[in-house]
Amino acid sequence: MAGQNISAREIITSYDGPKLRIMEVCGTHTHEIFRLGIRKLLPEQIELISGPGCPVCVTQVGFIDEAVMLALEYGATVCTFGDLVRVPGTEMSLAGARAKGARVQVVYSPLDAVTYAAEHPGEQVVFLSVGFETTTPASCLAVEQAAEQGLTNFSLLTANKTMPSAYHALKGSADVFLYPGHVNAITGTALCESLVDEDISGVVTGFTARELLTALAVAIKKSTEGKPFFVNAYPRVVTREGSVEAQALMERLLEPCDAEWRGLGVIPQSGVRLREAYAAYDARKKFQLPEIKGRGNPACRCGDVLQGKCKPSDCKVFGKVCTPQHPIGACMVSNEGACSAYYQYGGDFNA
């Protein structure tokens, strides 16, 4: 295995071909590539671009506004993962709502929110369901468990999205995508294989140094062949069929819908929502929420970062007004955010 590592490193460091843009779609890839110092190995012809694979980062401002409205105006208890609490909405974050007396509970899984609802029957509990195919099945399980327990005080506010639509929207933003291994572990590889017919190239990879170096080396070697390609460089976890059980669970509870992505706008059929049979667990229907169009801070360039149009360090407020302690945009808040990675690991190592 050591020989393979050396070989992969040599392929990367010795590359002397035309400019090659590789987008690491997943926020965890972005952080690991920085943490491991992989960017320092890259020749100047290879540009790594951070993409929209951070679920918190691509969640629209209006979703935060909906959550704040549920907490402050409807008196619901909002259960959420911790990184959503500080994401700015149009007027305030959930942290700001909590400071005004709203009930905002940090949980570690959707099932924790179901447990909370069972233990607090006098409260309406809403779980903020944000994520891609990796985490969406857990929200489905939560709904099934709430239904089995006969809970009438639990619901989801959904902002779940599916990755393949983003690849279509980002076509032309990069020459090769590094596909997130955990997403493909659920979806399988068939969808990414079909993107080759649309001139979209990519490599599925894991998260260790060995796996990332191997994936980059594969991307470089295949790119020199001059034709679109797909390679599964994470076969110990990712199969062609993926998790059939998780796919069936999502199909049973969810249906496709148009979804707004921060920076990318509305992408048709790129989101999922609860089917009508589970409408009682859909917070938007349960509380009859009005449609909300949020407004982001105009100084923030999160949208451009997520599209690969600029690097975090190109944003005028990066590291000055916008820091992890006082974030202006979601990309600085989330542990998977590109701005957070650039700030934590010292700015632009790829310049």
Side-chain angles (χ1 to χ4, degrees):
M1 296 299 290
Q4 290 183 17
N5 276 339
I6 294 172
S7 176
R9 179 171 179 151
E10 287 178 348
I11 290 170
I12 295 168
T13 58
S14 64
Y15 178 72
D16 193 27
K19 184 176 179 63
L20 182 62
R21 300 169 302 159
I22 301 175
M23 177 177 282
E24 76 273 4
V25 177
C26 174
T28 303
H29 283 160
T30 299
H31 276 257
E32 284 302 290
I33 287 170
F34 265 119
R35 188 182 68 82
L36 295 166
I38 291 176
R39 284 176 176 261
K40 297 178 181 179
L41 300 177
L42 303 177
E44 61 180 15
Q45 299 98 316
I46 297 178
E47 180 184 7
L48 280 185
I49 305 168
S50 299
C54 163
V56 171
C57 301
V58 297
T59 298
Q60 65 273 28
V61 176
F63 179 82
I64 303 298
D65 294 342
E66 287 178 308
V68 168
M69 176 180 286
L70 283 168
L72 283 180
E73 298 184 25
Y74 292 80
T77 299
V78 171
C79 290
T80 178
F81 297 139
D83 49 3
L84 269 177
V85 173
R86 297 171 60 239
V87 175
T90 300
E91 300 294 336
M92 73 182 78
S93 65
L94 283 166
R98 185 163 57 187
K100 290 179 175 290
R103 292 190 300 269
V104 179
Q105 293 286 331
V106 173
V107 295
Y108 296 97
S109 79
L111 295 176
D112 290 343
V114 175
T115 299
Y116 183 93
E119 294 174 348
H120 298 80
E123 300 177 20
Q124 283 294 330
V125 178
V126 180
F127 175 72
L128 305 187
S129 184
V130 170
F132 301 122
E133 293 89 341
T134 312
T135 55
T136 299
S139 291
C140 294
L141 284 174
V143 170
E144 285 198 332
Q145 187 174 104
E148 289 172 3
Q149 295 181 30
L151 299 180
T152 59
N153 65 327
F154 175 81
S155 58
L156 299 181
L157 184 67
T158 56
N160 300 86
K161 297 176 172 63
T162 55
M163 285 306 304
S165 301
Y167 303 139
H168 289 287
L170 289 165
K171 182 179 179 180
S173 297
D175 301 306
V176 185
F177 291 113
L178 289 187
Y179 295 130
H182 44 31
V183 168
N184 286 90
I186 302 295
T187 65
T189 62
L191 286 171
C192 291
E193 290 173 28
S194 68
L195 294 175
V196 174
D197 295 331
E198 301 177 44
D199 295 330
I200 298 175
S201 297
V203 180
V204 175
T205 184
F207 304 91
T208 67
R210 177 178 299 176
E211 289 161 347
L212 288 165
L213 287 172
T214 298
L216 288 170
V218 168
I220 291 168
K221 287 200 70 173
K222 295 293 291 183
S223 294
T224 62
E225 297 176 6
K227 58 183 180 182
F229 61 88
F230 168 79
V231 177
N232 178 10
Y234 199 28
R236 69 183 178 88
V237 173
V238 175
T239 63
R240 191 173 195 279
E241 64 274 11
S243 173
V244 177
E245 290 183 355
Q247 293 168 26
L249 174 64
M250 290 187 287
E251 176 65 24
R252 188 162 65 248
L253 271 74
L254 304 171
E255 64 183 9
C257 64
D258 297 347
E260 181 182 353
W261 297 58
R262 189 188 299 260
L264 300 178
V266 175
I267 302 178
Q269 302 295 284
S270 66
V272 289
R273 63 188 175 197
L274 288 167
R275 294 185 181 277
E276 189 60 34
Y278 295 91
Y281 300 97
D282 185 331
R284 291 188 179 92
K285 294 179 179 179
K286 186 173 188 175
F287 293 92
Q288 298 183 325
L289 290 181
E291 184 176 357
I292 297 177
K293 294 291 185 183
R295 300 186 311 277
N297 190 313
C300 173
R301 296 192 66 185
C302 272
D304 290 337
V305 170
L306 292 166
Q307 296 177 78
K309 291 183 176 180
C310 78
K311 297 172 184 175
S313 51
D314 295 329
C315 180
K316 292 182 179 179
V317 297
F318 171 79
K320 303 179 181 72
V321 179
C322 184
T323 66
Q325 293 74 34
H326 301 284
I328 288 180
C331 296
M332 186 63 87
V333 176
S334 173
N335 290 331
E336 295 185 0
C339 294
S340 170
Y342 273 66
Y343 187 92
Q344 182 176 349
Y345 295 105
D348 186 7
F349 292 141
N350 207 36

